Amino acid sequence: MKSTVVLRTVSNVLKVFLALVVVFPILWMIVTALKPSTEVVTWPPTFLPRHWHWGNLAEVERAGPFLRWYFNSVLIAAITVAGNLVFGVPAAFAFARLKFRGRNLLFLVVLGSLMIPGEVLLIPLFVFLNKLGWVDTYQALTVPFLANGFVIFLLRQFFETIPRELEEAAVIDGCGLLRIMWHVVVPLSRPALAVSAFFVFIGSWNSYLYPLIVTRSESMRTVTVGLSLFKSESGTNWPLLMSAATLIALPAMIAFLLIERHLKDTMALSGVRG
């Protein structure tokens, strides 16, 4: 009995320690965003600001068209998420429920696409987009990412866990495949859809290298690319940089809090069968 209590105590202490290790950089970023420039470089460093400088958050927009970059990132992420759900749900439903020749081979191709590093595709994709005249446009930032193999795989695995008896009952009621997918499968898969949307949103929101390559004008930048504005030959304005980073991290943290309760269950159920 005592050994169980000791193990549980040690486990809880380790969990708290790991949580602090993860959370501390985020807290440091936030408090640095609220410090004056002179206080950031003082030694020894202080965790909490001696003088809270809330104006740093407002000065971010004065350093560059930050609101424009923020709008670009939100728009690109929204289009990418919507596209992945529009294309991913029917594809996953077909792989999970329909029987057709070459289904398993085609699904292996989808899985194989996950093993190709994105950096390998940058140059050929840029050349292709340049021939289309899409460089420095919203099409270049969204169209190549409207479908994602991971979303198809995750949803297909989740659809496999839905009892087929529900679909058979819908067939008896006269439902076709599209109505079964829309009125039976999709409502039962809202947690998986939320988790899929979260992963796509994070991937789009945090993307840096690709937007840097396919955009040229300042008005088409995303927030991750725009962060480079806060670094110059005279040095880095750390309070403004951390203020911008805090504003960028805020949507990702909110999105995680919204889907956190679905994340564990969805990932567990999606790995049950397949």
Side-chain angles (χ1 to χ4, degrees), residues 21-33:
V21 170
V22 173
V23 172
F24 181 77
I26 300 175
L27 295 177
W28 187 267
M29 174 184 70
I30 295 174
V31 296
T32 302

Side-chain angles (χ1 to χ4, degrees), residues 3 6 8 19-20 24 33 36 44 53 76-77 83 91 126 129-130 132 144-145 159 162 214 227-228 250-251:
S3 61
V6 172
R8 186 177 301 172
L20 290 176
F24 181 77
H53 201 272
I76 293 165
F126 177 83
L129 294 174
N130 191 43
L132 293 177
F145 307 101
F159 291 168
I162 298 176
V214 301
L227 277 179
S228 59
L250 190 60

Side-chain angles (χ1 to χ4, degrees), residues 17 22 28 81-82 86 90 99 123 165 229 267 274:
F17 174 75
V22 173
W28 187 267
V81 169
V86 168
K99 294 183 179 180
I123 294 178
E165 290 78 7
L229 180 71
M267 299 306 289

Side-chain angles (χ1 to χ4, degrees), residues 219-257:
S219 62
M220 289 302 300
R221 284 178 175 175
T222 60
V223 285
T224 51
V225 178
L227 277 179
S228 59
L229 180 71
F230 299 97
K231 296 182 180 180
S232 62
E233 295 179 358
S234 59
T236 300
N237 190 327
W238 289 109
L240 288 185
L241 181 63
M242 293 297 104
S243 297
T246 301
L247 294 174
I248 293 173
L250 190 60
M253 290 188 287
I254 294 175
F256 175 78
L257 293 176

